[in-house]
Amino acid sequence: MIKCRDVMDVMERIAPKRLAEDWDNPGLLVGSPDDEVRRILVCLDVREETAERAAAEDFQMIVAHHPVIFKGLKKLRTDLPDGRLLGALLRAGVAVFAAHTNLDSAEGGVNDVLAARIGLDPATVAPFGNADSLSESLGRVGKLPKPMVAKAFAEQVKKGLGAANIRFVSGGDHSVKKVGLCSGSGAEFIERAAFMGCDAYVTGDVRYHDAQRAAALGIHVIDAGHFATEQPVVEILAKRLAEEFGDKVEIVADDTARDFFEIL
Ligand SMILES: [Zn+2]
């Protein structure tokens, strides 16, 4: 048996809190560091069904990517979704820890897992860089082992992520060798990827005018969806936690979650 505190310590090594963006809310969000933990559920989102599963299957802790409390919480009304979810977690005695943008930026985190899944050569993958730091940042840039026709690369992304569908924005006739990426919602970095000389950029949550900008900049954009670009980290994170704790605790990766978007 371990305590929440032990998981928090290990997560601090895997995804140091200092890597989180200023606006983020990572860490232990529900429960106490002293809570005892025998079973941990690792998942992308804490949904109502996640809380129900945790209660039914005797999980004492959830480690999630998206923070269950994100913006300021001003009420705990159990007739509304947020309060209902938090109430269920508290009643079931389930603690919740979140590693969000710190897990995006961390080595071996969401973006590195994404880079591997879409076929970038791991030896070429480096942080995207930002104004403050070139060594740690949300996105990644890397190269394919061989140049690919843009739509063939898009197909490879779709297959690698097991995405039901992807959206492709053509930036012209050029093939793809250098690729920028940012898991989740990364359309804001399309320009940076273009200026860094990326042939293509992979992310989720791309909007119409982002696509327009990409086409004008001459960079292919592949919108593989917020869910599909992030879900692969769940299994990897569960494995890393299992390596750390051995048989002291049981760790389950949630493989039941599905994208909220369905393709009709
Ligand atoms: Zn996300």
Side-chain angles (χ1 to χ4, degrees):
M1 174 121 51
I2 59 167
K3 292 193 168 188
C4 268
R5 183 188 317 284
D6 301 312
V7 181
M8 293 163 71
D9 289 346
V10 166
M11 285 304 301
E12 180 59 25
R13 268 189 279 130
I14 293 174
K17 226 172 178 174
R18 65 180 171 78
L19 298 181
E21 300 293 304
D22 296 339
W23 45 263
D24 204 359
N25 190 36
L28 187 68
L29 304 180
V30 178
S32 158
D34 290 324
D35 289 349
E36 292 183 341
V37 179
R38 294 180 307 278
R39 273 163 65 76
I40 300 172
L41 181 61
V42 182
C43 56
L44 195 66
D45 302 298
V46 184
R47 308 180 186 190
E48 215 163 327
E49 55 264 37
T50 321
E52 280 165 15
R53 181 180 178 191
E57 298 180 21
D58 199 29
F59 289 101
Q60 294 78 37
M61 188 173 189
I62 293 171
V63 174
H65 180 48
H66 293 133
V68 69
I69 300 170
F70 190 51
K71 293 189 176 129
L73 188 67
K74 294 206 171 175
K75 47 183 166 291
L76 267 173
R77 278 183 52 166
T78 50
D79 60 328
L80 298 174
D82 290 353
R84 193 161 60 223
L85 175 60
L86 292 166
L89 291 163
L90 287 169
R91 275 196 306 278
V94 179
V96 181
F97 181 93
H100 190 208
T101 51
N102 43 332
L103 187 62
D104 288 327
S105 293
E107 208 183 318
V110 191
N111 281 294
D112 280 334
V113 172
L114 175 60
R117 284 289 196 101
I118 65 173
L120 301 190
D121 174 0
T124 67
V125 174
F128 215 26
N130 59 37
D132 307 320
S133 160
L134 282 173
S135 60
E136 288 154 344
S137 74
L138 291 174
R140 295 289 185 269
V141 62
K143 287 182 179 155
L144 290 167
K146 274 190 235 157
M148 293 181 78
V149 171
K151 282 197 179 165
F153 173 60
E155 280 296 332
Q156 175 168 304
V157 171
K158 182 180 174 186
K159 210 169 153 209
L161 297 177
N165 79 322
I166 55 164
R167 296 189 302 161
F168 176 74
V169 182
S170 175
D173 297 331
H174 61 277
S175 60
V176 178
K177 173 85 176 167
K178 189 171 177 182
V179 177
L181 63 90
C182 182
S183 58
S185 298
E188 65 190 286
F189 302 128
I190 288 172
E191 234 147 57
R192 192 192 300 170
F195 293 145
M196 286 175 79
C198 294
D199 305 306
Y201 181 66
V202 179
T203 190
D205 293 344
V206 175
R207 297 190 292 186
Y208 182 83
H209 289 297
D210 301 321
Q212 182 182 18
R213 205 165 69 246
L217 287 163
I219 183 169
H220 305 300
V221 169
I222 295 156
D223 182 342
H226 194 127
F227 179 84
T229 56
E230 296 191 328
Q231 176 67 14
V233 81
V234 168
E235 196 190 330
I236 303 292
L237 180 58
K239 273 193 192 135
R240 287 184 71 179
L241 287 171
E243 279 163 22
E244 291 280 348
F245 290 113
D247 55 8
K248 280 189 267 183
V249 67
E250 203 176 332
I251 304 193
V252 175
D254 174 33
D255 58 2
T256 61
R258 297 287 173 265
D259 199 336
F260 291 108
F261 290 105
E262 292 178 41
I263 309 304
L264 304 180

